[in-house]
Amino acid sequence: MKIYVDKIPESGLELNEKIEPGLLSLDEHAVVNFIKPIDVKANVTKTGADIFVDVLLESLVEYTCAKCLSKFEDIFRKKFSIVREVRPAEILELDDEIRQEIILDYPVKILCKAECRGLCPNCGQNLNIGECDCGHNGPIENRPLC
Ligand SMILES: [Zn+2]
Ligand SMILES: [Zn+2]
């Protein structure tokens, strides 16, 4: 998203843009997968040499559970503000900021639900769906090593 400083009217400016997630090089985090373009809404105001940008990001994300590897979708929504001192006629490029803010918001550990039981390490059965028959029953944490 580009902001042309000399095109910001006194009353402020509202910008709407869709960014293809591929353009932000977020792909290295395969556990967080944007499945819709990122909706970027920005409210831009200028006071003297300072520019204020209120940004709202919205998209849909597919996560992969760290324990059971199942995939689930969730809405991604983030608000943040940028304050910058600018020169007249400067062109601000915000894609880097947007990328940083998205990565900052990645969950440390992605779970489909807090009590996810994960996969049986022996047979790979998803224990959220049901117990397996391989004899390694119970949550992974409580299971003796064999
Ligand atoms: Zn899970
Ligand atoms: Zn099993």
Side-chain angles (χ1 to χ4, degrees):
M1 172 174 272
K2 281 188 173 59
I3 296 176
Y4 296 85
V5 171
D6 58 358
K7 293 208 176 103
I8 305 170
E10 196 93 14
S11 55
L13 190 65
E14 204 180 292
L15 297 170
N16 275 297
E17 204 175 300
K18 285 192 194 304
I19 300 184
E20 285 300 328
L23 296 177
L24 294 174
S25 11
L26 300 161
D27 299 345
E28 64 264 34
H29 300 267
V31 287
V32 179
N33 184 23
F34 282 87
I35 48 182
K36 264 176 61 179
I38 300 160
D39 229 320
V40 186
K41 284 191 180 64
N43 260 302
V44 189
T45 48
K46 191 168 169 284
T47 310
D50 291 323
I51 187 169
F52 301 87
V53 191
D54 282 322
V55 187
L56 175 66
L57 306 177
E58 267 185 317
S59 186
L60 196 63
V61 164
E62 184 190 68
Y63 295 102
T64 303
C65 175
K67 271 186 164 177
C68 72
L69 307 180
S70 66
K71 295 190 187 300
F72 57 100
E73 290 176 9
D74 205 357
I75 290 172
F76 178 92
R77 188 176 285 130
K78 175 152 198 192
K79 265 176 127 162
F80 61 96
S81 303
I82 299 167
V83 184
R84 279 272 196 83
E85 202 179 311
V86 289
R87 284 170 278 112
E90 189 175 341
I91 300 167
L92 283 186
E93 175 53 80
L94 295 185
D95 283 7
D96 249 8
E97 254 99 350
I98 292 170
R99 179 173 180 275
Q100 294 289 331
E101 292 289 338
I102 290 173
I103 290 172
L104 273 177
D105 231 48
Y106 280 169
V108 180
K109 191 165 190 190
I110 298 161
L111 293 177
C112 61
K113 53 186 176 192
E115 66 281 10
C116 173
R117 298 182 62 209
L119 301 177
C120 170
N122 190 46
C123 71
Q125 157 92 3
N126 184 339
L127 298 172
N128 297 311
I129 296 169
E131 299 298 340
C132 57
D133 304 321
C134 78
H136 285 69
N137 286 336
I140 293 167
E141 294 83 353
N142 305 336
R143 201 172 294 137
L145 294 170
C146 55

